[in-house]
Amino acid sequence: MPDMDWYSQGMTMPESFNLDRLATPIGTALLVTDADGLLRALDWEDYELRMRQLLRLHYGAVDLTDARAPRDLRAALTGYFKGDLDRLTAVKWRVAGTPFQQKVWNALPGIPAGTTLSYGALAAQLRMPRAVRALGHANGSNPISVVLPCHRLIGADGSLVKYGGGLERKRWLLRHEGVAI
């Protein structure tokens, strides 16, 4: 097949994002940002394959280029990990997903640091009390862990259930925020 550009082949250009790494007390965080400096994904180095799969699911083809994340983003995350829990509100982000996923992800920052909420309670707050399982699936595909604090969701019985970065990280994050486990 002759060399053709993406458009003439009926395809779209891959999304281009930047990839940076940030050392944290619980492992190396992967920071994916766009050309505007907005955070598009935050995951852990040992879950990079899953992160790339989620990016592909939400954006199609993705090119990741090693580049430093914006200084204010790195400072906010570093501050959070040093104990300034309110710094996460300074992070500017954008996510792609279904309207239902977006609704769930946008609700997560409303769970204050130092508190937890059950999946059922969040479903009730969103006026979808029967959507607990769907809410759990949406939470599990949250592309921006920590900033969209999916770790603050727990089981109805108070148990720590599922966390994409592993239960040890979830436990650490909750303790770091002052939750008695």
Side-chain angles (χ1 to χ4, degrees):
M1 175 181 252
D3 227 7
M4 300 176 150
D5 65 21
W6 285 88
Y7 182 77
S8 66
Q9 294 179 37
M11 296 185 269
T12 57
M13 291 287 294
E15 287 277 356
S16 292
F17 294 132
N18 296 320
L19 174 64
D20 193 8
R21 288 170 168 74
L22 179 71
T24 77
I26 52 175
T28 301
L30 302 175
L31 311 177
V32 176
T33 55
D34 63 19
D36 297 324
L38 300 176
L39 184 65
R40 294 299 192 106
L42 186 159
D43 214 324
W44 305 101
E45 193 170 54
D46 48 331
Y47 290 92
E48 184 171 355
L49 179 60
R50 184 193 60 166
M51 180 195 74
R52 287 177 179 269
Q53 290 169 338
L54 283 174
L55 287 170
R56 197 172 314 112
L57 178 69
H58 293 300
Y59 299 104
V62 173
D63 282 336
L64 291 177
T65 303
D66 287 333
R68 195 124 171 117
R71 181 179 300 136
D72 57 337
L73 170 61
R74 292 179 62 87
L77 290 167
T78 299
Y80 167 82
F81 282 106
K82 288 183 176 178
D84 187 356
L85 306 180
D86 293 333
R87 292 295 300 271
L88 293 182
T89 60
V91 175
K92 293 177 174 61
W93 52 270
R94 181 181 299 141
V95 290
T98 67
F100 179 79
Q101 288 171 325
Q102 297 259 348
K103 188 172 189 173
V104 171
W105 298 335
N106 280 291
L108 294 173
I111 306 168
T115 66
T116 58
L117 195 64
S118 73
Y119 289 89
L122 183 58
Q125 279 184 9
L126 295 176
R127 301 194 193 298
M128 300 180 290
R130 293 187 173 148
V132 175
R133 184 166 287 165
L135 186 143
H137 287 297
N139 192 56
S141 61
N142 169 15
I144 305 178
S145 72
V146 181
V147 174
L148 302 183
C150 52
H151 60 276
R152 295 180 190 152
L153 286 180
I154 60 172
D157 63 357
S159 62
L160 301 185
V161 292
K162 294 188 179 182
Y163 180 65
L167 286 180
E168 283 306 308
R169 280 194 181 106
K170 182 173 187 160
R171 187 174 286 109
W172 188 94
L173 289 164
L174 290 172
R175 283 184 179 146
H176 176 64
E177 294 178 354
V179 174
I181 308 265

